[in-house]
Amino acid sequence: MSASAIAAVAVAAVAFVATWAAWAAGGFAVDVPWAPAWDLRLSLELDGLGLLYALLAAGVGVLVFAYASAYVPRHLAHEGRPRREEARLHGAMALFLVSMLGLVLARDLVLLFVFWDLTAIASWLLIGFDRANRSARLSALMALLVTTITAVLLLVAILVLRAEYGTTQIDELIAVARPGWAVALAGALIAAAALAKSAQAPLHFWLPRAMAAPTPVSAYLHSAAMVAAGVFLVSRAHPLLALEPALLDGLLAIGLLSIAVGGLLALWATDLKRLLAYSTVSQYGYVVVMLGVGGAAGAAGACLYVLAHALAKSALFMTAGAVTEATGRRELPRLGGLARRMPLLAAGSGAAVATLAALPLTLGFFKDELFFHAAAERGTWLAVAAVASAALTLAYLGRFWGGVFLGRSDAEVRPVPRRLVWPVVALGTLVVAGGIAPGPFAALAEDGAAVTAGGPAPVDVAYHLDGRTENVMALAAWLAGALLLVARPRLQGALSALARAGEAVGPERVYTASLAGLNALSNRIHDVEVRDLRARIAAVLVPASALIALGVVLTPTGGTYAVGPVELEDLPLVLVLAVGALAALATTRPRRHLRLALALSAVGFSLAVVYALLGGADIALVAVLVETLFALLFVGVFSLIPARELRREARRRSTGRTRARNLVIAATSGVVTTLVAWGAFSRPIPDDPAAERYLALADDAHGKDVVTVILADFRGLDTLVEITVVLVAAIAVATLLHGRFRA
Amino acid sequence: MIAATGPHIDVEALSPLLALTGGGLVVLLVGLLRPRVVREVLVPLLALASLAAALGLAIWQWDADEEIIAGALRVDTLALAFTAFVIVAAAITVLLSWRAVAPREAAHGEYYAMLLVSAAGMSVLVQAQNLVSLFIGFELLSVPLYVLCASEMRRSSSLEAGLKYLIIGSVGSATLLYGLALIYGATGRTDFAAIADALNSVGGPVSDPLFLTGLALSVVGLAFKVSVAPFHQWTPDAYEGAPTPVTAFMATATKVAALGVIIRFFDVALINAQPDWAPALAALATITIVVGNVGAIGQTSVKRLLAWSSVAQAGYMLAGIVVGTQHGIEAVAFYLAAYLVMNMAAFAVVVARARETGLGDAIEALEGIGQSKPLLAWPMTIAMLGLAGIPGTAGFIGKFFLIDGAVDGDYAWLGIVIVVGSAVSLVYYLKVVAAMWMRPAPRSVPVLAGGAVDDPPADAPAGPRAAGGEVTLVAVGCAAGPVVFGVLPGPLFDIARDAAAAMSHLF
């Protein structure tokens, strides 16, 4: 075993023992302020529900990590990768374990969310471990996107609850929450996030894809940890969800759908790991159904079910890995007859299959008893559905075990390391022990169920040799399951059709289509990122005009646009303005650069005359100065550009579409500007006390005119900074020219 | 008759600004000296020293809350916190520029002086509480940046970036100036507090077309600087073309300054018109988040990707301002600090890889560095996860409180837009992470040790060379920030709360 593997196993073992010891010592709680300003707390507490999931994550972790220590070096050797990459897998596994422990201990929803996303990140690293494999990368991304995008729903739910009740502490929320829209909305969002994490239909499609991960990853994440996190959250938040009966009905429906979809696809699948993945979808469907039934019976059933399922399912995943390692095959039809060659593995996985199929003398028998009990309590229709589900489960599990270990095949069997077998045997032994002496398991489940149910939830585990309903249902299920197993070859066509229909119109299709759509949209934006400067300035003017037009439309028009009298003495002003307007129109015509510059100058000069006529002699002077400078600059720049370039530019004709676009932009900007200017002139000028004061103070400041005094004294800082800006610009120009000539 | 007394000049409150401008002058002059060691070592060191002095003075002034220079500037915790952010960004930029091509081409003295003056402009901007000082701060920050963008003068894309930034930036400045003039025309005041009073008065100009037009035009002008869609189009080109240290400075410091002034302008001067501007800003924030996130998906250049991501991030932060509450401003201040270090870490890695590989800022330059360069791969990973808002990083906490602020301020739908936007953003942030950890290094990358360069592209004048210890230091140091503040957000919270406390008139 490599050092990293030993470290990972040690982490899991320590976590297991520590959790156990903490519980035996009467529990454990941490509650420290995290961000006091926003009332966030780091609060962790070990209760019955946390204990169950923590022990599962750590205990199964010990066995799976030990299995991985033998599996991963062989896996890397097959792929021709260096052995040191092993450490990455063990590291990510340990990270996952720690996040999972944090998740089940968190008593604050925000903290829970943090760990929730950390498990997603760790799972992304783990599923994408075979990084040379494109499908592994895509599957990792799919698992991550589906679980984190739905995690967003959890975040929204947290914010809704926080806005409504002012806290994110789970216990406080449960204490103060009352039925209402906030609880209904938040509950629905929490349930959606949780069900996606538990791979419930219709968001189940990521789980079979995630089988691209190395087998130990599947054995851990997709049996005892990652997918368990979803039902854990529903169990944790169950007292909130139970406030709205409709939410529980929704859980019931989704659970039944998942049982059916997962079960039928598991009956159809031929790849070992995919079959197990579909079976996980189906089995967690049971748990969701029981949580949907609710009450003490539902809670008790859910907890025991999770326990039995996690133990058995990880054993089966490890079996699949060992079988593939021994034979090099992973397709059910190409396998068979391994019972004689690998008897220990056959026995261990046989016990696991038996427990999942709820045969007597296994822990799983009781999980189905409780399931039937809860279903029968709810109503006859659910009892019938429960029997059908159990029959389906028995059929696909029988097919899995029989297909691998019975019959015959031509597969060559290579010896496998013992560490690929004994974790399976250990788990098999454990579930059989649970079938004979279920007491400790029941106690564990009972403590967990008490949290979910919000009160005592007895887990009644004992064999009753009588004709009670549960026993009758179990017998019916076995019988129907055996019939289904025998009849399966005839159903192959129908099952394939179902699988094909799922691929054609199923949720995975929606996922790929929306990703492709996003990509296409992004590429379009990339194309629209026009490199044409004029289009960009248009892209500024048009939204700006729209924004302003919105403001203009929203204002009351009464009195906003006044028309004043035109006196005879205004005639020069009108004339000059008309000249300016004509000059502005003229700028649209010339094709030669110099004429264009002169037309622009004409607009500026006529505006300068307008200032002069209106009494702003100083402004008029500045305007004339600026206009003259710019006219000279234009001429200077044109003289520097080769005449050939200028002529070529001038000959370029714009297309009709460009012209139309320019016309629309110009017209919009013009109309909006006119409206604004009109509105501005129609209103009285607000008095500016500062102006009066400046005038009064001008003499005191020893200035002959107020403008000088304002520039030099009253607003000296502004002038100073403005001078700095001009200086910086000068330095900038000098730098650029210097660099240009040096280069 | 009022006696004309000279305004009291509070040198202490002005001292961070003085340190920056004084440093700029000294650096400019020392840069004229001939010896190479003076230009390449002493000048950046002097720049760092003046930044350190400014930072120290800002911290020394921390409790100040006063108007200086006849009400032109306001020194309060908001201004000081944002000034400190800008100074930190500038100091990191100095480190990233240490061995860069740009200062050598533009002459060291001018380059670093320009940087310091731009930082001074940002400082003026976040302190401005007068329309005129707002605009001159805006200009003082912009003009040096136009030149810095173009400072790799032998690279045509750098010149192009500078020119584009200049032209589009000028359109933005002109729009802003027009808007400010109209607001002055409508209210008759230039002082922020006085504008607020005028808006509050009976029959005030809140629903006056002149005022609304001014408001709209100033929104547009400011939106340019923060790269709020649809006024963001210059961003990808300018970020891609500019020398990477300058891009890093633009992406972080400019955003700090522009958001700072938006906070003060909208939440002080225009707070009484909040019902008018809040829906418009909320709509812009939504467009920005959508456009930024979708635009980033298809990018193959890391700088362009970060440009689009910065557009989206601006949208998130705008949401904190829309609600007009202290809570929202706290969230913005917190997020800005986190955003600053995360982006700096990312840009430092881009600088390092561009120097090491000759592949420029293409995403291929990052492939396989998970194995070969863990000291660069981890910072980039943390930066990407932080920007995506993954729990455990300050990015998550910041985003959480931005959303919380939005929900709190009755803009719950905007909070949901942020959440959905960050979910989409995972697609492109993870693309970068996947390139580093899940791809083998391409064969053709000339690795420094022993690898020969066949044909370096024209845009990489120096070819493969050592990234430089200071760049790695920046990457690692900046990446530590989001992790530390993601686990122990307390200290940064206190700064953010102090900053928001300056807006005590808000709810």
Side-chain angles (χ1 to χ4, degrees):
Chain A
M1 268 169 99
S2 67
S4 61
I6 294 171
V9 173
V11 167
V14 167
F16 186 82
V17 174
T19 314
W20 196 268
W23 181 251
F28 138 93
V30 180
D31 190 6
V32 289
W34 183 20
W38 275 304
D39 195 26
L40 274 192
R41 314 186 62 78
L42 279 178
S43 62
L44 299 164
E45 190 185 329
L46 184 63
D47 62 359
L49 192 64
L51 177 75
L52 170 67
Y53 282 84
L55 286 182
L56 266 183
V60 173
V62 171
L63 294 173
V64 172
F65 294 175
Y67 177 89
S69 71
Y71 183 92
V72 178
R74 293 169 72 92
H75 176 75
L76 289 172
H78 288 318
E79 300 214 329
R81 287 157 65 186
R83 243 199 99 166
R84 62 189 152 77
E85 291 194 20
E86 195 190 345
R88 282 184 32 194
L89 187 115
H90 292 305
M93 288 280 231
L95 171 68
F96 190 92
L97 170 63
V98 172
S99 338
M100 190 71 195
L101 290 178
L103 173 64
V104 299
L105 296 182
R107 306 316 298 269
D108 185 300
L109 279 175
V110 176
L111 193 60
L112 188 146
F113 177 81
V114 169
F115 288 116
W116 184 268
D117 262 12
L118 280 182
T119 59
I121 297 283
S123 88
W124 179 65
L125 291 173
L126 287 168
I127 297 173
F129 180 69
D130 292 342
R131 52 208 159 81
N133 180 348
R134 180 177 147 82
S135 97
R137 287 204 310 268
L138 288 180
S139 309
L141 187 64
M142 183 190 277
L144 182 67
L145 284 181
V146 171
T147 49
T148 48
I149 289 180
T150 50
V152 159
L153 304 178
L154 174 58
L155 189 59
V156 175
I158 296 171
L159 290 166
V160 167
L161 289 173
R162 186 181 147 100
E164 186 72 14
Y165 297 111
T167 177
T168 54
Q169 296 284 318
I170 296 172
D171 297 336
E172 290 173 16
L173 276 173
I174 290 173
V176 297
R178 296 283 167 267
W181 71 269
V183 168
L185 176 63
L189 294 171
I190 290 176
L195 295 177
K197 192 100 166 174
S198 277
Q200 294 296 287
L203 293 177
H204 63 285
F205 56 88
W206 64 267
L207 188 60
R209 293 266 169 209
M211 293 301 121
T215 301
V217 174
S218 311
Y220 190 47
L221 265 58
H222 305 135
S223 66
M226 169 111 166
V227 283
V231 290
F232 165 79
L233 178 60
V234 177
S235 310
R236 178 64 86 205
H238 200 270
L240 281 181
L241 303 187
L243 293 175
E244 292 286 334
L247 288 178
L248 295 188
D249 292 343
L251 285 182
L252 204 59
I254 287 181
L256 285 173
L257 179 67
S258 303
I259 295 178
V261 169
L264 290 172
L265 290 173
L267 203 55
W268 160 77
T270 53
D271 181 282
L272 287 183
K273 285 179 70 186
R274 284 180 82 97
L275 190 159
L276 292 176
Y278 285 125
S279 123
T280 302
V281 172
S282 172
Q283 305 265 309
Y284 277 106
Y286 281 79
V287 182
V288 172
V289 165
M290 281 186 275
L291 290 169
V293 170
C303 281
L304 190 70
Y305 205 105
V306 167
L307 180 58
H309 169 259
L311 296 177
K313 186 53 69 62
S314 45
L316 290 186
F317 272 118
M318 290 193 272
T319 305
V323 165
T324 306
E325 202 53 48
T327 61
R329 297 178 179 184
R330 47 191 296 171
E331 299 285 313
L332 211 44
R334 300 180 57 216
L335 286 162
L338 288 182
R340 272 167 296 139
R341 310 293 303 271
M342 309 175 87
L344 267 180
L345 193 67
S349 62
V353 162
T355 211
L356 283 183
L359 299 182
L361 292 182
T362 63
L363 181 58
F365 176 77
F366 303 111
K367 75 173 172 41
D368 268 26
E369 290 283 293
L370 293 175
F371 174 58
F372 291 146
H373 177 70
E377 222 171 54
R378 179 65 187 254
T380 316
W381 64 273
L382 191 58
V384 173
V387 170
S389 310
L392 194 57
T393 309
L394 182 78
Y396 66 71
L397 287 167
R399 175 168 168 259
F400 171 82
W401 195 82
V404 174
F405 291 104
L406 303 180
R408 58 180 64 253
S409 93
D410 55 352
E412 182 195 338
V413 180
R414 291 183 304 264
V416 294
R418 272 203 303 271
R419 255 180 291 151
L420 292 189
V421 176
W422 70 253
V424 179
V425 176
L427 286 170
T429 317
L430 200 59
V431 291
V432 173
I436 296 163
F441 295 93
L444 193 58
E446 214 162 86
D447 288 336
V451 175
T452 303
V459 174
D460 170 35
V461 285
Y463 294 102
H464 302 280
L465 290 174
D466 53 16
R468 60 178 62 206
T469 327
E470 291 91 328
N471 285 357
V472 174
M473 287 168 77
L475 280 175
W478 295 332
L479 193 64
L483 282 177
L484 197 57
L485 186 57
V486 173
R488 200 207 79 97
R490 288 156 202 251
L491 298 175
Q492 184 63 23
L495 291 173
S496 303
L498 177 77
R500 273 201 306 276
E503 266 164 32
V505 293
E508 186 172 352
R509 188 84 178 193
V510 176
Y511 167 87
T512 41
S514 43
L515 266 199
L518 263 182
N519 254 324
L521 190 60
S522 178
N523 288 340
R524 255 198 83 74
I525 289 193
H526 197 83
D527 294 341
V528 178
E529 266 180 51
V530 270
R531 289 177 181 269
D532 167 18
L533 204 56
R534 203 187 312 196
R536 289 202 183 182
I537 292 174
V540 175
L541 289 179
V542 172
S545 300
L547 211 57
I548 295 163
L550 195 70
V552 172
V553 168
L554 285 180
T555 47
T557 44
T560 310
Y561 304 108
V563 182
V566 180
E567 314 275 334
L568 192 63
E569 65 212 46
D570 290 337
L571 193 63
L573 191 62
V574 173
L575 278 178
V576 178
L577 279 174
V579 170
L582 279 178
L585 273 179
T587 56
T588 60
R589 297 306 307 162
R591 312 194 58 81
R592 305 295 285 272
H593 293 77
L594 201 56
R595 285 182 207 164
L596 182 59
L598 288 178
L600 273 175
S601 298
V603 179
F605 282 120
S606 48
L607 281 181
V609 176
V610 172
Y611 298 143
L613 286 176
L614 287 176
D618 46 353
I619 302 179
L621 273 175
V622 173
V624 168
L625 195 64
V626 169
E627 283 304 330
T628 316
L629 270 178
F630 269 91
L632 288 175
L633 262 180
F634 272 128
V635 173
V637 168
F638 291 151
S639 72
L640 282 176
I641 300 175
R644 197 157 39 88
E645 286 285 316
L646 281 177
R647 272 201 300 278
R648 208 188 57 192
E649 282 288 312
R651 270 200 304 274
R652 270 199 356 194
R653 305 195 69 90
S654 44
T655 61
R657 235 181 102 197
T658 321
R659 271 210 294 267
R661 187 188 66 183
N662 291 349
L663 191 67
V664 169
I665 293 170
T668 336
S669 313
V671 167
V672 172
T673 315
T674 309
L675 283 179
V676 170
W678 192 357
F681 285 129
S682 309
R683 58 198 303 291
I685 301 160
D687 61 318
D688 182 353
E692 312 275 324
R693 229 178 83 224
Y694 287 160
L695 281 174
L697 285 173
D699 269 345
D700 265 9
H702 309 291
K704 288 282 172 271
D705 72 303
V706 72
V707 176
T708 313
V709 180
I710 288 177
L711 286 180
D713 283 322
F714 299 149
R715 305 216 59 95
L717 174 84
D718 301 337
T719 314
L720 177 71
V721 181
E722 202 51 60
I723 291 172
T724 318
V725 172
V726 173
L727 264 179
V728 168
I731 295 173
V733 171
T735 310
L736 281 176
L737 289 180
H738 179 65
R740 230 36 223 154
F741 289 129
R742 203 178 44 178
Chain B
M1 185 85 207
I2 318 149
T5 48
H8 167 63
I9 294 180
D10 187 343
V11 181
E12 291 175 4
L14 210 53
S15 56
L17 198 54
L18 292 178
L20 287 175
T21 42
L25 282 176
V26 170
V27 162
L28 189 63
L29 291 176
V30 173
L32 292 176
L33 298 178
R34 296 296 298 170
R36 204 178 144 156
V37 65
V38 168
R39 282 181 287 132
E40 294 195 351
V41 177
L42 188 61
V43 164
L45 279 182
L46 281 173
L48 275 182
S50 81
L51 286 168
L55 185 63
L57 291 167
I59 294 170
W60 171 54
Q61 284 291 311
W62 191 255
D63 291 327
D65 184 13
E66 54 195 320
E67 291 184 359
I68 54 171
I69 317 188
L73 303 178
R74 177 165 197 92
V75 181
D76 55 15
T77 38
L78 182 78
L80 289 170
F82 279 46
T83 302
F85 293 165
V86 166
I87 292 172
V88 169
I92 295 173
T93 308
V94 172
L95 286 178
L96 291 183
S97 310
W98 195 278
R99 274 171 243 208
V101 179
R104 232 178 305 154
E105 298 223 334
H108 289 80
E110 281 92 327
Y111 179 90
Y112 290 110
M114 226 72 93
L115 189 67
L116 290 174
V117 170
S118 184
M122 293 171 184
S123 176
V124 170
L125 195 58
V126 295
Q127 296 176 44
Q129 66 150 5
N130 185 300
L131 296 181
V132 184
S133 30
L134 187 163
F135 185 73
I136 55 177
F138 203 76
E139 286 293 279
L140 194 57
L141 104 82
S142 307
V143 173
L145 274 184
Y146 301 145
V147 187
L148 285 175
C149 265
S151 56
E152 267 184 39
M153 289 169 211
R154 280 180 234 190
R155 194 159 55 86
S156 58
S157 61
S158 172
L159 289 173
E160 186 189 337
L163 187 65
K164 274 184 179 156
Y165 192 28
L166 169 66
I167 293 178
I168 300 189
S170 307
V171 174
S173 295
T175 319
L176 177 67
L177 187 58
Y178 202 2
L180 297 182
L182 291 185
I183 289 180
Y184 169 67
T187 59
R189 307 286 189 279
T190 60
D191 190 68
F192 283 5
I195 291 176
D197 286 344
L199 290 178
N200 204 19
S201 59
V202 183
V206 169
S207 59
D208 174 4
L210 194 62
F211 170 73
L212 286 179
T213 311
L215 182 59
L217 288 171
S218 351
V219 168
V220 171
L222 292 170
F224 265 105
K225 273 285 172 286
V226 210
S227 330
V228 162
F231 311 106
H232 66 288
Q233 283 115 333
W234 58 274
T235 318
D237 281 355
Y239 279 26
E240 190 190 14
T244 312
V246 176
T247 310
F249 186 67
M250 291 204 300
T252 54
T254 312
K255 214 146 269 189
V256 170
L259 282 169
V261 74
I262 288 182
I263 289 176
R264 208 180 279 279
F265 186 49
F266 284 91
D267 284 345
V268 175
L270 306 179
I271 188 64
N272 294 315
Q274 202 230 10
D276 286 322
W277 55 256
L281 277 195
L284 286 179
T286 309
I287 298 173
T288 307
I289 291 170
V290 172
V291 168
N293 280 319
V294 172
I297 291 175
Q299 303 301 328
T300 51
S301 141
V302 181
K303 275 162 84 179
R304 251 185 130 74
L305 188 147
L306 285 170
W308 283 103
S309 120
S310 85
V311 171
Q313 305 276 342
Y316 303 150
M317 290 187 266
L318 212 49
I321 298 173
V322 165
V323 292
T325 59
Q326 275 204 38
H327 192 114
I329 294 170
E330 268 173 51
V332 174
F334 186 93
Y335 197 80
L336 262 178
Y339 167 86
L340 193 154
V341 283
M342 294 184 295
N343 262 293
M344 279 298 181
F347 279 112
V349 176
V350 174
V351 168
R353 288 310 283 172
R355 289 185 195 169
E356 284 172 356
T357 62
L359 285 174
D361 61 328
I363 209 164
E364 285 83 33
L366 296 174
E367 282 181 357
I369 64 170
Q371 263 78 48
S372 55
K373 299 265 171 190
L375 278 184
L376 293 178
W378 276 110
M380 191 67 162
T381 308
I382 292 168
M384 291 295 116
L385 296 182
L387 286 170
I390 295 292
T393 63
F396 165 71
I397 297 187
K399 213 172 268 180
F400 181 79
F401 285 111
L402 278 175
I403 299 166
D404 195 42
V407 173
D408 197 45
D410 287 335
Y411 271 93
W413 62 268
L414 196 52
I416 291 170
V417 171
I418 299 178
V419 176
V420 174
S422 16
V424 171
S425 74
L426 273 175
V427 174
Y428 58 88
Y429 289 128
L430 287 178
K431 191 167 82 173
V432 178
V433 178
M436 290 185 293
W437 296 98
M438 294 192 173
R439 299 271 172 126
R443 286 267 155 85
S444 58
V445 176
V447 179
L448 187 65
V453 203
D454 307 328
D455 193 16
D459 270 13
R465 57 208 168 98
E470 75 281 355
V471 176
T472 315
L473 182 75
V474 167
V476 174
C478 285
V483 176
V484 170
F485 293 126
V487 179
L488 298 170
L492 198 51
F493 269 144
D494 293 342
I495 295 177
R497 205 177 29 196
D498 279 0
M503 303 273 104
S504 54
H505 62 285
L506 294 179
F507 173 60

